[in-house]
Amino acid sequence: MRYVKWGLIGTVLLSLFAFLHYTLPRTDIVIVTGVDIKLEQVSPNSIFWANSETGTVTADGKVQRDVRFINTTKANGKPRVFRNEDTGWGWPPYFKLDSSNLHTEAQGLISNRDNPQWVAMRAYGWRSEFLSIYPNAVSVRPVEGPDVRIIPWINIVILTLLAAFAFWLWRVWVRFKERRIDPVLEDAAVALDELDDRADAAADKAKGFFGRMAAPFRRK
């Protein structure tokens, strides 16, 4: 049971970590190298797209849609591609309704490595070439250079609130356990001890009875 217990706890913690890692925003310092609007097939991986209804068409039995993309390059030269979709009033709760404006902002910040304009691209989500999923850009702003330090205040606040909530839940559980569960377990332990004492007394009594019954035979 111990392994089952820790297995369940590990599964819950891993799921929580994956959920937060996907949902919380991260900031990349990049150069915007171009913007695109491409027709993407989203049927197998629709859960990773913000709004599966906008611009959706069906061709040859495949569900496709137009998606805005922002192409960037990191300081180490590696490409980093972002999708640019509205989240609307759904999940995650970024309430992003200005993907067209962000598309225009990113287009105005296009540069190259010879004359770079470094920007801070804030986004959430994962990049997987195998699953054809991209992080969703939330905002973009110019920065001084690739070594600028970005403090993730939003993540700090959210994680602090989650930690405080988890601590509160733990305290509630401890108090509930002390007031409701522990007394029941103690009463059960006392009842078991009393039952064990009665069993021992009954065994001693039976032993004495059979001893008295066998005494005449032992004297002979």
Side-chain angles (χ1 to χ4, degrees):
M1 290 299 295
R2 181 185 302 176
Y3 295 107
V4 174
K5 172 185 175 182
W6 286 110
L8 291 175
I9 293 175
T11 300
V12 171
L13 292 178
L14 185 61
S15 300
L16 179 61
F17 173 80
F19 172 78
L20 292 175
H21 189 267
Y22 180 86
T23 305
L24 292 179
R26 295 183 295 278
T27 301
D28 291 302
I29 306 302
V30 295
I31 300 170
V32 179
T33 58
V35 294
D36 291 317
I37 299 178
K38 297 189 294 185
L39 190 64
E40 288 287 322
Q41 181 179 343
V42 297
S43 298
N45 53 4
S46 58
I47 61 172
F48 295 105
W49 300 86
N51 184 357
S52 60
E53 300 298 328
T54 303
T56 299
V57 297
T58 302
D60 299 328
K62 298 179 180 179
V63 179
Q64 299 174 322
R65 54 183 297 209
D66 287 328
V67 180
R68 294 184 177 94
F69 288 94
I70 302 174
N71 305 317
T72 70
T73 301
K74 301 173 70 173
N76 58 10
K78 292 184 178 180
R80 179 77 164 164
V81 181
F82 299 87
R83 59 188 167 95
N84 176 20
E85 294 186 286
D86 287 339
T87 61
W89 302 98
W91 189 266
Y94 286 93
F95 309 113
K96 179 187 171 186
L97 302 168
D98 61 346
S99 59
S100 58
N101 293 344
L102 182 58
H103 185 85
T104 303
E105 291 178 27
Q107 192 171 23
L109 293 170
I110 293 176
S111 63
N112 53 58
R113 296 190 66 85
D114 295 331
N115 186 23
Q117 170 60 72
W118 296 99
V119 301
M121 186 74 71
R122 189 156 64 97
Y124 72 90
W126 299 326
R127 174 70 174 111
S128 172
E129 296 179 2
F130 177 74
L131 297 176
S132 296
I133 59 176
Y134 306 85
N136 190 18
V138 177
S139 65
V140 60
R141 60 183 176 86
V143 294
E144 296 179 356
D147 299 324
V148 66
R149 183 179 181 184
I150 304 296
I151 300 177
W153 292 112
I154 295 177
N155 292 3
I156 291 173
V157 171
I158 292 175
L159 292 176
T160 300
L161 292 176
L162 286 176
F165 180 68
F167 178 76
W168 176 78
L169 283 181
W170 177 74
R171 289 299 304 165
V172 169
W173 163 250
V174 169
R175 292 176 182 176
F176 175 79
K177 182 174 179 292
E178 290 175 348
R179 294 176 182 177
R180 300 294 183 182
I181 299 179
D182 288 348
V184 173
L185 294 178
E186 291 176 1
D187 292 343
V190 171
L192 288 174
D193 289 340
E194 292 178 352
L195 183 62
D196 187 57
D197 292 340
R198 292 176 184 175
D200 291 341
D204 293 340
K205 186 176 181 180
K207 185 185 298 183
F209 173 77
F210 286 110
R212 289 192 299 272
M213 292 291 293
F217 298 97
R218 288 199 298 266
R219 283 196 294 272
K220 293 179 179 180

